[in-house]
Amino acid sequence: MFDSTIARLEAAADSGTGVRFVGSSVTPDGEPVYVGWDQIHDEARVVGAALQAKGLLPGDHVAVLGPTSRELITIVRGCWMAGIASMVLPLPMRMGSLDAFIDSTRARIRHGDAKLVLIDDQLADFYTATEGDPPIEPMQSVLPGSPNAPSGEALETPDPDPERLVILQYSSGSTGEPKGVMIPDRVLSANLDATCEAGNVGPDETMVSWLPLYHDMGLVGFLALPMTKGIDLVLAAPQDFLARPGNWMDWISDHGGTATAGPNFSWVLATRALKRKTDLDLSTLTLALSGAEPVDPVAVEAFVAEASRFGFQAGSIFPAFG
């Protein structure tokens, strides 16, 4: 029997686990913010009901432009609960390339046939609708607490459909025009199950990630997987890692992280940061994936040499579609 993403999300909501936001999402006194998957689930049901109230139907696509945050992952989950495919859009990396960012964003939105664009307030000034664009609304308009927000009970979850898209993800376009990768429910479910089997990922893991949620390693491997399997997640934003790469190792140490991932360059930066560290515990980390770009064996060996000072076992690092 097909085990749909919606059924998985509903089951995971009762797991007693959740997501801990670190980095720039901490409280004013520097404490991580913990939210149970059950609470994220209830808020996501409101998002799904709000999208349906706006006339969106199962099978429609919604583009989302915003930084890694509680709001973003709630909207992604809300889309999935309503049978709507999420399109998480890349953020502008350099302020000097805003024109290119706007052009590529508009191309993705149009090519992806988005019926609605939800945009974070911080980015609203960077992107405005022109003729031919779908409506643009603030992300807050579909979240709990917004004016006229429906009850989560108003959500009408659609019947399972293995072929209905869950994710429409655009490639980086580094070697050509960005291409929309269509990920239906059956493919996402099979991928998540295979990942857990290959990585021996169980319910007692603590996954740690700063990866962007517009890449599959971040969105599928380190959001969809813990969110549908009911696994604890420690989540930061890419800019949190780039500002202080050593924080990645701190998050693993502080929260007993068992699984994490990053591209080759990030392990190089982590290795440099470890040279300056004196008090860490990396002994809990049993699945460290290097992928998304070519994996350099020299970089892997250098990381193992530094991390082993803090209890890391060499056999815990693996290449992943690199």
Side-chain angles (χ1 to χ4, degrees):
M1 180 178 176
F2 172 65
D3 192 7
S4 70
T5 295
I6 293 175
R8 292 165 184 254
L9 290 170
E10 289 177 333
D14 297 325
S15 62
T17 56
V19 55
R20 182 170 277 103
F21 295 94
V22 295
S24 55
S25 297
V26 297
T27 64
D29 57 0
E31 291 298 315
V33 177
Y34 178 83
V35 187
W37 287 128
D38 55 346
Q39 186 171 348
I40 297 285
H41 188 69
D42 290 344
E43 294 171 0
R45 288 186 60 89
V46 173
V47 170
L51 293 173
Q52 291 177 343
K54 294 178 184 295
L56 279 86
L57 302 171
D60 285 343
H61 310 157
V62 169
V64 190
L65 181 62
T68 297
S69 63
R70 174 177 176 174
E71 291 77 14
L72 179 64
I73 69 172
T74 302
I75 287 173
V76 169
R77 188 177 183 129
C79 286
W80 297 352
M81 288 297 298
I84 294 167
S86 64
M87 295 170 53
V88 180
L89 300 171
L91 300 177
M93 290 294 101
R94 297 178 301 276
M95 298 305 288
S97 60
L98 278 180
D99 288 343
F101 158 72
I102 292 169
D103 290 344
S104 64
T105 299
R106 180 163 284 117
R108 286 176 169 89
I109 289 170
R110 291 183 175 180
H111 184 271
D113 191 27
K115 295 295 189 292
L116 176 67
V117 179
L118 296 173
I119 189 167
D120 184 86
D121 286 345
Q122 300 175 54
L123 298 168
D125 292 340
F126 294 141
Y127 190 88
T128 56
T130 61
E131 186 176 353
D133 285 346
I136 296 178
E137 296 190 19
M139 288 170 54
Q140 194 63 42
S141 69
V142 298
L143 291 165
S146 64
N148 304 315
S151 164
E153 298 301 317
L155 174 67
E156 297 181 13
T157 54
D159 292 333
D161 180 356
E163 301 302 325
R164 186 169 56 230
L165 294 192
V166 180
I167 297 169
L168 183 57
Q169 182 208 324
Y170 276 82
S171 65
S172 63
S174 57
T175 58
E177 289 298 315
K179 297 175 178 62
V181 180
M182 299 181 291
I183 304 177
D185 206 342
R186 62 176 177 81
V187 172
L188 178 62
S189 296
N191 185 268
L192 294 175
D193 291 343
T195 299
C196 287
E197 182 177 355
N200 195 26
V201 177
D204 296 329
E205 308 286 348
T206 297
M207 303 180 74
V208 180
S209 180
W210 51 266
L211 299 168
L213 298 180
Y214 49 83
H215 282 178
D216 51 357
M217 185 184 269
L219 179 62
V220 176
F222 282 82
L223 179 62
L225 194 155
M227 198 158 67
T228 59
K229 297 288 187 177
I231 293 173
D232 278 317
L233 172 65
V234 177
L235 185 63
Q239 63 267 27
D240 297 324
F241 165 76
L242 293 173
R244 305 185 90 177
N247 284 354
W248 183 17
M249 299 296 106
D250 292 337
W251 299 324
I252 294 168
S253 178
D254 292 345
H255 303 291
T258 61
T260 195
N264 188 82
F265 85 86
S266 67
W267 295 104
V268 173
L269 295 178
T271 302
R272 293 175 187 169
L274 284 175
K275 294 178 185 295
R276 301 186 294 272
K277 298 287 185 180
T278 57
D279 186 18
L280 286 178
D281 179 6
L282 301 181
S283 64
T284 59
L285 184 60
T286 56
L287 183 62
L289 301 177
S290 177
E293 64 184 35
V295 179
D296 179 7
V298 174
V300 173
E301 291 168 3
F303 174 79
V304 170
E306 287 299 326
S308 63
R309 296 193 297 119
F310 305 104
F312 179 75
Q313 299 297 312
S316 299
I317 193 162
F318 301 90
F321 59 93

